[in-house]
Amino acid sequence: MCGIVGIVGKSNVNQALYDALTVLQHRGQDAAGIVTCDRGRLYLRKDNGLVRDVFHQRHMQRLIGNMGIGHVRYPTAGSSSSAEAQPFYVNSPYGITLAHNGNLTNVEQLSREIYESDLRHVNTTSDSEVLLNVFAHELARGGKLQPSEEDIFNAVRAVHDRCRGGYAAIAMVTGYGIVGFRDPYAIRPIVFGKRQTEEGIEYMIASESVALDVLGFELIRDLEPGEAVYITERGELFTRQCAEQQMYSPCIFEHVYLARPDSMIDGVLVYKARLRMGEKLAEKILRERPDHGIDVVIPIPDTSRTSAVELANHLGVKFREGFVKNRYIGRTFIMPGQAARKKSVRQKLNAIELEFRGKNVMLVDDSIVRGTTCKQIIQMAREAGAKNVYFCSAAPAVRYPNVYGIDMPSVHELIAHDRTTEEVAELIGADWLIYQDLDDLVHAVSEGNPQLSRFDCSVFNGEYVTGDVNEAYLGKIEQARNDAAKVRSEISSEIIDLHNN
């Protein structure tokens, strides 16, 4: 999960890119970067940390130009070294920079091709750099001094032919324009819009529509599966379908957790989808536990709040805010390392004893991944005096790893893998546990756009929409993603950085 943005404006775009990345900060807190283009020259700043920490006034003053792209990152597997902060750059052809959200499932094959056939060098372990080099190589094959929109779209078409997995990307071709493209399954989100200024029309491409809203851009639409949009430096806009075969299968976990509730993704308002998730959960509770005895519904801030409100309404039960959140602690889902996650939960949340003492409490979360966080929160509820603690998840049980750009842990770290609902309830310390049914989750999202008939639900059902994910591949990513591997990778990166400084 990362956030990407690109702007072609009529004046300096540095502040607009900064503001957009701040809005997209929830999509990645590991690193941030911006590159701008002014009269054929590039100006780049990127580093580990939050947007507000990476960019100071002296950096912003250097980021001149009316065209640029930005990125907020969290590591999908392995290192959090600043060497993998984006955007990435290659000088040939033209000078191209790229920001990417997603994960390529055939990256090993592509890496070999890049070295052996394309005669290009990749300097990091990031699949984003691989994607950039594939795009650059295909664009170079045109052999033109000045690329046209046809050359850009032909390069994207070749990217779709060679790359597998989930990806949304924005690339800037120095001195010419910005291109955004989406994989043929539309797994990762990407939208584009425009705004009218005194100098003319400006265009923006971003991961989520909320970035456009905040900056006063009008949402035009989402990119279709396999589609690309190209905006020249002069402000001309072109779109083209670049994939021979497409299948609309967006990631449903965007609606569960990743996206902001005020975003529109594929024609669905995330907020409304989460309201419907709460409604479906309430219906399931009334079916399975008509004498539930719930006194109060309390959300685990922040993502589950919308679902919890609607669940309480349909149950006819009080909704209360039982936890106060310290907003200066990052999202625990994103934090690498189990020790960091355990430590942060107590720092992040504090219980309001009044809302718990002597009550049967229903806690609502967006999902349960490792179970570590909800186990501690249930314990906090008991310590605050709760009589009974029930737990429900707005998503089904997460039983399988994600391979399309979400850093879910290895399969054996998923608490629901090979366990029943009752076993998970016992492990997290809940008196009973309710999961959302997958059919209800799909309905909750697709009701907002009936044209969406299929989703990537692989973390829930193990069905990977690209059709190229097998046991051997899953074994490799498990080895890369387990917490021990991450710790080793981070220690190695720190040692390298010490030697380099």
Side-chain angles (χ1 to χ4, degrees):
M1 182 179 77
C2 298
I4 57 177
V5 60
I7 298 177
V8 176
K10 298 300 180 182
S11 58
N12 284 336
V13 295
N14 51 359
Q15 187 63 53
L17 289 168
Y18 177 95
D19 293 342
L21 291 183
T22 302
V23 174
L24 296 173
Q25 186 77 85
H26 61 285
R27 300 189 67 86
Q29 301 170 0
D30 182 68
I34 290 175
V35 60
T36 58
C37 178
D38 181 60
R39 290 177 288 186
R41 294 196 63 180
L42 296 178
Y43 301 87
L44 171 66
R45 167 63 181 171
K46 61 179 182 177
D47 203 352
N48 281 1
L50 301 176
V51 174
R52 68 184 182 214
D53 299 322
V54 170
F55 303 101
H56 301 152
Q57 184 175 356
R58 66 183 185 275
H59 304 127
M60 297 297 291
Q61 289 173 340
R62 297 185 191 124
L63 293 171
I64 59 175
N66 70 330
M67 181 170 70
I69 64 176
H71 186 269
V72 287
R73 172 188 184 268
Y74 91 111
T76 52
S79 173
S80 61
S81 167
S82 59
E84 296 195 1
Q86 298 183 37
F88 284 120
Y89 166 76
V90 291
N91 73 324
S92 177
Y94 313 114
I96 303 174
T97 50
L98 178 138
H100 165 226
N101 174 32
N103 186 59
L104 303 182
T105 54
N106 65 334
V107 67
E108 289 188 3
Q109 172 193 337
L110 290 170
S111 296
R112 287 194 300 271
E113 291 176 2
I114 287 170
Y115 178 74
E116 296 172 0
S117 303
D118 299 354
L119 305 181
R120 286 177 169 268
H121 174 72
V122 175
N123 199 45
T124 71
T125 59
S126 173
D127 63 333
S128 303
E129 191 183 11
V130 171
L131 179 64
L132 168 59
N133 275 275
V134 172
F135 175 73
H137 175 77
E138 297 301 334
L139 188 56
R141 295 178 70 173
K144 291 184 179 179
L145 181 61
Q146 297 182 347
S148 67
E149 65 272 15
E150 287 299 325
D151 298 317
I152 298 292
F153 292 137
N154 285 337
V156 174
R157 188 172 292 110
V159 167
H160 291 331
D161 288 341
R162 294 180 63 180
C163 297
R164 299 289 178 267
Y167 52 91
I170 303 174
M172 181 167 65
V173 183
T174 304
Y176 294 103
I178 288 178
V179 56
F181 55 92
R182 195 177 191 185
D183 73 79
Y185 295 88
I187 296 172
R188 300 263 68 86
I190 184 170
V191 300
F192 66 102
K194 65 180 181 179
R195 71 178 177 187
Q196 182 70 51
T197 68
E198 292 180 359
E199 294 81 13
I201 296 178
E202 299 181 323
Y203 290 98
M204 180 177 178
I205 311 170
S207 292
E208 294 183 32
S209 65
V210 65
L212 278 68
D213 298 340
V214 170
L215 273 75
F217 283 78
E218 172 193 352
L219 173 66
I220 296 176
R221 60 180 174 85
D222 300 79
L223 283 181
E224 297 288 322
E227 189 182 21
V229 55
Y230 177 54
I231 305 156
T232 69
E233 192 174 33
R234 297 185 301 276
E236 303 164 300
L237 183 142
F238 305 91
T239 61
R240 189 70 50 85
Q241 177 53 253
C242 297
E244 292 185 6
Q245 295 182 330
Q246 318 92 38
M247 183 179 294
Y248 225 135
S249 305
C251 174
I252 204 165
F253 209 73
E254 290 280 352
H255 294 274
V256 171
Y257 173 82
L258 302 181
R260 274 184 39 158
D262 44 347
S263 281
M264 288 280 293
I265 296 181
D266 296 308
V268 179
L269 180 60
V270 176
Y271 175 77
K272 290 287 289 184
R274 289 177 183 168
L275 285 176
R276 291 189 288 267
M277 291 176 205
E279 179 183 342
K280 297 293 184 184
L281 265 177
E283 291 172 357
K284 183 174 182 179
I285 290 172
L286 291 173
R287 285 196 310 271
E288 296 190 359
R289 295 183 177 270
D291 301 320
H292 52 75
I294 300 169
D295 296 316
V296 61
V297 171
I298 294 176
I300 297 173
D302 283 316
T303 321
S304 64
R305 184 174 286 114
T306 308
S307 297
V309 167
E310 197 68 0
L311 183 145
N313 286 340
H314 278 263
L315 291 180
V317 173
K318 290 180 181 179
F319 172 87
R320 290 289 187 269
E321 295 285 355
F323 296 102
V324 176
K325 183 177 181 180
N326 179 354
R327 300 189 180 278
Y328 298 96
I329 300 292
R331 294 174 103 176
T332 53
F333 177 83
I334 296 174
M335 288 185 175
Q338 190 76 354
R341 279 187 295 273
K342 287 182 177 180
K343 182 179 179 182
S344 71
V345 174
R346 290 281 180 169
Q347 294 174 340
K348 187 165 94 168
L349 296 178
N350 189 46
I352 301 174
E353 186 176 315
L354 175 68
E355 300 298 348
F356 292 91
R357 186 152 302 281
K359 299 177 182 177
N360 295 324
V361 178
M362 167 59 79
L363 298 180
V364 183
D365 207 352
D366 52 77
S367 58
I368 305 172
V369 182
R370 291 175 176 87
T372 308
T373 299
C374 56
K375 181 177 182 179
Q376 292 185 69
I377 290 172
I378 289 169
Q379 183 60 35
M380 290 170 64
R382 295 196 187 280
E383 291 171 1
K387 182 179 177 182
N388 289 291
V389 182
Y390 315 129
F391 204 95
C392 66
S393 166
V398 177
R399 302 186 189 278
Y400 305 93
N402 183 278
V403 301
Y404 301 126
I406 306 173
D407 188 25
M408 288 192 172
S410 69
V411 67
H412 297 295
E413 292 179 297
L414 298 172
I415 193 169
H417 179 70
D418 282 341
R419 290 190 178 100
T420 66
T421 300
E422 291 72 25
E423 288 172 335
V424 175
E426 183 177 355
L427 282 172
I428 65 176
D431 291 291
W432 49 265
L433 167 66
I434 291 281
Y435 279 112
Q436 184 86 264
D437 289 336
L438 182 55
D439 287 345
D440 285 343
L441 175 61
V442 170
H443 186 269
V445 179
S446 62
E447 188 176 326
N449 181 3
Q451 294 182 342
L452 295 176
S453 59
R454 173 174 169 157
F455 295 89
D456 169 52
C457 303
S458 53
V459 297
F460 306 123
N461 60 15
E463 298 173 8
Y464 297 94
V465 296
T466 55
D468 61 338
V469 177
N470 54 31
E471 289 300 321
Y473 179 81
L474 291 175
K476 288 180 181 178
I477 66 167
E478 178 168 351
Q479 183 176 4
R481 286 183 176 180
N482 68 72
D483 279 338
K486 284 188 175 180
V487 170
R488 288 194 300 270
S489 179
E490 287 169 29
I491 292 172
S492 298
S493 297
E494 290 173 4
I495 292 172
I496 291 170
D497 287 341
L498 284 171
H499 281 300
N500 290 339
N501 289 336

